[in-house]
Amino acid sequence: MPGYYIWTIGCQMNKADSERLAGLLDQAGLQPVSSVDGASVIVLNSCVVRQSAEDRVVGKLGSLKALKRARPDLVLALTGCMVGSEREKAALAKRFAYVDAFLRPLEFGPLLDIVAERGLGGDVQRDCLEMAARPMRVGEEHAVGLDLDGEHDGGIPDALDITPAKWVPVIYGCDYMCTYCIVPFRRGRERSRPLAEIVDEVKGFVAGGAREVTLLGQTIDRYGNDLPGRPDLADLFDRLNDLAGLDRIRFLTSHPSDMSERIVRAIGELPRVCEHVNLPVQAGDDEILARMRRPYKVDEYRRLIDGIRRHVPGASLSTDVIVGFPGETRAQFEGTYRLLEEIGFDVVHVAMYSPRPGTHAARSIPDDVSRAEKKERLRLVEELQAGIARRLNQALLGQTVEILVEERSGGKWQGRTRTNKIVFFADERDWLGELVPLRVSHATAWSLQGELVAEQAPAPGAWRARVARPAPARGAAISLRLVS
Ligand code: SAM
Ligand code: SF4
């Protein structure tokens, strides 16, 4: 059976797209392999949110050149946010002439055609590719840049495994045009999937063993705006909350301007919706926010956080911040620093501003904060956040938390609390897919260690026995485990 290998970098949406592609290649009759050496089809799923991510993709492409020269029959494809308009595809084809196909995010049809033409696999159901036919944005043809990397980086899928946690894209694209961001140019206009379709997909995942889903969107809280009857994220939560067998519902990423009180209340009231909100603030200064084209003020953001804390007891909060945005003075940066100090997020994803060709900021605002100053601001935020996160995590010492066990690596089981804290524990029995109680024994800024509370633990191995089947369900029950 011909093998395929998918390398993924970037945000969770990329990881979800890779899972979807893996499902399609499975259906075509190919099998996943754990290294490029045994693969007949290699796909790089790229990210260009920041220059550093783009550099990694270019490096990976370069490293495959010799392999392709030695094995001309190998199918090598590039997808993800590095691939833009037809004009940009032509430029990529010139630069990387040894690559067989350049596919925009979710544009998997041409790859499946090549696979069929070369006799590597059969035909597959392509209904789920409809969303790829997305409207172009005005000006998109002129965007030439790339984007995404950093703290969200995935890496090489080193193994296939059944998993109790699934990604579910519910809204594609983005209608905001933050001046620094390439995503709308690459992922197109906002479009929500019909609610019933999502519920059906999640039912299928649950039937395949999933206990947790993470609903994905660049602006998840805008879900439904473009659908008839305008259901919102709270409606979707409500429907999924009723699904028997589904224990946890997560969601990423929320935009401060769309996080309604209705959604916040739903998070607090629906038992299966996890109390973790990722709410990127990007900057703690009104002038910088306006120049970023983020349509809220710092005080409005503060009130939103207060509302979440009021309605969702025990909520954990994470945010994204860009330091060194063009024109950001030291005093304006200090505004961001003080806001992070005041709110005390559980996690802060911080990045140095990286101009992305084609975006408004790259075209019109000089990148005038020096690299040394950006690095210093990054360091200050990282240092501040390490202290805050350590304090918050150490407050959990001795408490019992429940995790869903997602994988085993380095001899330890690993899972996350409802509040998205990573916890490790050692035990020789099979805990994959179980909701296990752990007493927190060690806490750092980044993760927790725990000890199994044996008297409250479920039976080990039960989940794997339940989901075990002779052949994995196509697409649904199989997923790629991504490691950095
Ligand atoms: N949709 C989300 C939002 O509204 O914030 C974020 C999506 S973006 C793909 C992920 C993160 O990358 C952003 O929150 C931002 O902090 C960072 N990012 C995007 N463009 C960037 C740039 N040009 N330079 C540095 N960081 C950037
Ligand atoms: Fe990019 Fe802004 Fe859209 Fe987020 S909301 S994806 S930062 S344009």
Side-chain angles (χ1 to χ4, degrees):
M1 215 189 256
Y4 69 86
Y5 181 87
I6 305 174
W7 180 86
T8 308
I9 182 173
C11 64
Q12 284 81 356
M13 195 60 97
N14 260 15
K15 295 173 190 177
D17 293 352
S18 288
E19 280 194 4
R20 180 139 305 195
L21 176 61
L24 290 164
L25 293 173
D26 289 340
Q27 269 188 43
L30 284 79
Q31 66 175 352
V33 291
S34 58
S35 91
V36 291
D37 299 326
S40 303
V41 176
I42 299 176
V43 183
L44 304 190
N45 193 354
S46 63
C47 166
V48 289
V49 164
R50 288 182 285 277
Q51 186 64 44
S52 47
E54 182 177 340
D55 292 345
R56 282 185 65 186
V57 179
V58 170
K60 190 74 189 168
L61 275 169
S63 73
L64 293 170
K65 195 173 176 180
L67 188 67
K68 175 71 183 174
R69 200 178 295 132
R71 286 176 45 203
D73 57 321
L74 176 72
V75 177
L76 178 57
L78 178 70
T79 187
C81 287
M82 191 158 170
V83 185
S85 65
E86 293 306 314
R87 211 176 72 174
E88 288 154 4
K89 280 185 187 174
L92 285 170
K94 220 166 153 185
R95 188 171 166 202
F96 305 105
Y98 54 96
V99 174
D100 298 281
F102 298 93
L103 317 160
R104 306 171 79 120
L106 286 180
E107 189 194 16
F108 298 141
L111 175 64
L112 299 172
D113 292 341
I114 297 176
V115 164
E117 279 159 21
R118 305 244 182 124
L120 294 168
D123 216 4
V124 298
Q125 278 273 347
R126 297 189 184 196
D127 317 359
C128 69
L129 297 180
E130 273 167 27
M131 281 286 183
R134 79 229 194 335
M136 297 284 280
R137 209 174 239 297
V138 178
E140 191 169 10
E141 287 291 328
H142 305 294
V144 290
L146 315 172
D147 167 358
L148 200 95
D149 110 88
E151 65 282 339
H152 299 306
D153 282 3
I156 301 167
D158 69 342
L160 267 176
D161 205 346
I162 44 176
T163 172
K166 297 290 293 179
W167 307 108
V168 183
V170 303
I171 175 169
Y172 295 104
C174 178
D175 272 4
Y176 281 104
M177 283 292 266
C178 301
T179 54
Y180 51 81
C181 186
I182 192 77
V183 170
F185 294 94
R186 297 302 155 87
R187 290 194 171 265
R189 301 299 303 262
E190 173 182 296
R191 56 234 187 261
S192 304
R193 296 175 65 194
L195 197 143
E197 178 187 303
I198 299 165
V199 173
D200 278 353
E201 183 174 65
V202 174
K203 273 185 190 160
F205 287 151
V206 171
R211 302 186 73 168
E212 174 184 303
V213 288
T214 302
L215 310 178
L216 292 179
Q218 295 297 345
T219 49
I220 187 88
D221 40 356
R222 284 184 64 75
Y223 173 74
N225 261 295
D226 53 334
L227 291 176
R230 300 184 63 151
D232 68 0
L233 187 61
D235 293 317
L236 181 57
F237 284 159
D238 202 51
R239 289 287 301 280
L240 294 176
N241 191 67
D242 288 340
L243 287 188
L246 183 66
D247 294 285
R248 291 172 165 196
I249 302 163
R250 298 185 186 277
F251 56 100
L252 284 173
T253 297
S254 304
H255 193 292
S257 302
D258 296 290
M259 187 44 90
S260 65
E261 184 173 332
R262 196 176 128 80
I263 297 175
V264 173
R265 283 183 182 274
I267 302 167
E269 287 165 12
L270 295 172
R272 289 181 174 136
V273 178
C274 293
E275 43 279 2
H276 169 69
V277 186
N278 176 228
L279 198 65
V281 65
Q282 308 298 2
D285 179 87
D286 286 343
E287 198 186 312
I288 296 293
L289 285 174
R291 265 192 274 144
M292 288 177 159
R293 220 183 271 143
R294 300 286 292 184
Y296 49 86
K297 300 239 187 298
V298 177
D299 268 345
E300 289 165 343
Y301 186 89
R302 276 195 182 94
R303 283 199 291 277
L304 183 53
I305 295 287
D306 287 347
I308 293 173
R309 287 188 160 148
R310 220 174 26 254
H311 293 297
V312 190
S316 74
L317 296 165
S318 61
T319 198
D320 295 11
V321 163
I322 295 175
V323 294
F325 186 75
E328 184 189 65
T329 62
R330 187 71 185 200
Q332 286 170 324
F333 163 72
E334 281 162 10
T336 302
Y337 187 94
R338 280 195 302 275
L339 184 72
L340 298 180
E341 214 170 16
E342 171 194 324
I343 293 180
F345 291 96
D346 293 79
V347 173
V348 174
H349 305 290
V350 55
M352 294 186 286
Y353 169 69
S354 168
R356 302 288 67 207
T359 58
H360 177 79
R363 276 187 276 118
S364 327
I365 325 179
D367 180 19
D368 58 358
V369 179
S370 71
R371 185 159 172 84
E373 181 60 20
K374 282 181 189 168
K375 274 187 153 171
E376 172 62 3
R377 293 179 192 179
L378 182 87
R379 189 191 64 76
L380 286 168
V381 170
E382 283 178 345
E383 208 173 274
L384 169 72
Q385 186 52 31
I388 294 172
R390 192 176 309 111
R391 251 195 334 275
L392 291 173
N393 286 348
Q394 286 181 346
L396 295 170
L397 283 170
Q399 291 189 25
T400 299
V401 296
E402 184 183 72
I403 69 162
L404 176 63
V405 181
E406 291 175 55
E407 63 178 303
R408 185 176 167 87
S409 66
K412 286 199 170 167
W413 293 106
Q414 178 186 328
R416 284 172 299 157
T417 63
R418 287 176 58 99
T419 54
N420 212 33
K421 309 252 179 211
I422 297 172
V423 195
F424 298 91
F425 72 104
D427 195 281
E428 285 319 305
R429 289 165 294 173
D430 180 10
W431 294 103
L432 185 67
E434 307 297 343
L435 283 166
V436 299
L438 300 173
R439 189 155 302 115
V440 179
S441 54
H442 185 73
T444 69
W446 323 118
S447 65
L448 306 170
Q449 306 273 345
E451 279 157 18
L452 195 68
V453 183
E455 57 279 14
Q456 293 168 23
W463 181 80
R464 207 192 292 261
R466 184 161 64 80
V467 301
R469 62 194 65 195
R474 294 289 182 216
I478 206 158
S479 94
L480 292 170
R481 188 150 59 80
L482 293 125
V483 295
S484 29

